[in-house]
Amino acid sequence: MLTIGTIVMGAADVRRAADFWSRALGYVPRDGEVDEGWTVLVPADGSGPGLALGRSVTPVQERPRVHLDLYAADAAEQEAEVTRLVSLGARHVDWDSYPEDPDFVVLADPEGNRFCVIDATHG
């Protein structure tokens, strides 16, 4: 049986992306330092998939086919996490496909990569 080991994202500035995602997720560089061309971040506690960041000149997709979903325990935590992530450099994305009562907020990291913060209790 296969398991997800690493999720790979492109970045024009790998160091900037690594700084954001390290602070956002509490991850650390697997090799102890961040390389400007390719870096793998792993959970500080050792459990969970890694996040690899590779230098890319490909433009960010406005509607990416793959993105990260980050789960918050409830609506209050979701709101607090969105605020924290924005303070780290994320930005709100003007998303025209929100349902009437969304359980998610679409953000972009400093590189423009889209991700969602989800209220896991929303149902």
Side-chain angles (χ1 to χ4, degrees):
M1 177 60 80
L2 297 173
T3 60
I4 295 175
T6 305
I7 299 156
V8 181
M9 293 174 57
D13 184 336
V14 171
R15 291 183 193 279
R16 177 175 69 172
D19 180 60
F20 173 81
W21 287 108
S22 291
R23 293 186 297 145
L25 300 175
Y27 277 34
V28 297
R30 180 179 64 191
D31 299 327
E33 62 185 60
V34 174
D35 181 83
E36 64 187 44
W38 177 263
T39 294
V40 179
L41 303 174
V42 295
D45 68 4
S47 64
L51 179 63
L53 302 163
R55 186 177 309 132
S56 175
V57 296
T58 305
V60 173
Q61 293 177 317
E62 290 298 314
R63 295 201 169 269
R65 293 181 66 169
V66 177
H67 66 274
L68 299 178
D69 280 349
L70 307 179
Y71 283 46
D74 55 35
E77 182 177 291
Q78 177 191 40
E79 183 178 349
E81 285 298 327
V82 167
T83 299
R84 184 181 73 85
L85 293 164
V86 168
S87 78
L88 295 176
R91 64 177 174 78
H92 286 270
V93 172
D94 185 19
W95 196 252
D96 62 1
S97 296
Y98 278 116
E100 188 171 313
D101 184 25
D103 64 345
F104 64 96
V105 175
V106 181
L107 299 176
D109 71 8
E111 291 288 316
N113 295 306
R114 275 41 169 185
F115 64 98
C116 295
V117 181
I118 298 173
D119 169 4
T121 64
H122 190 70

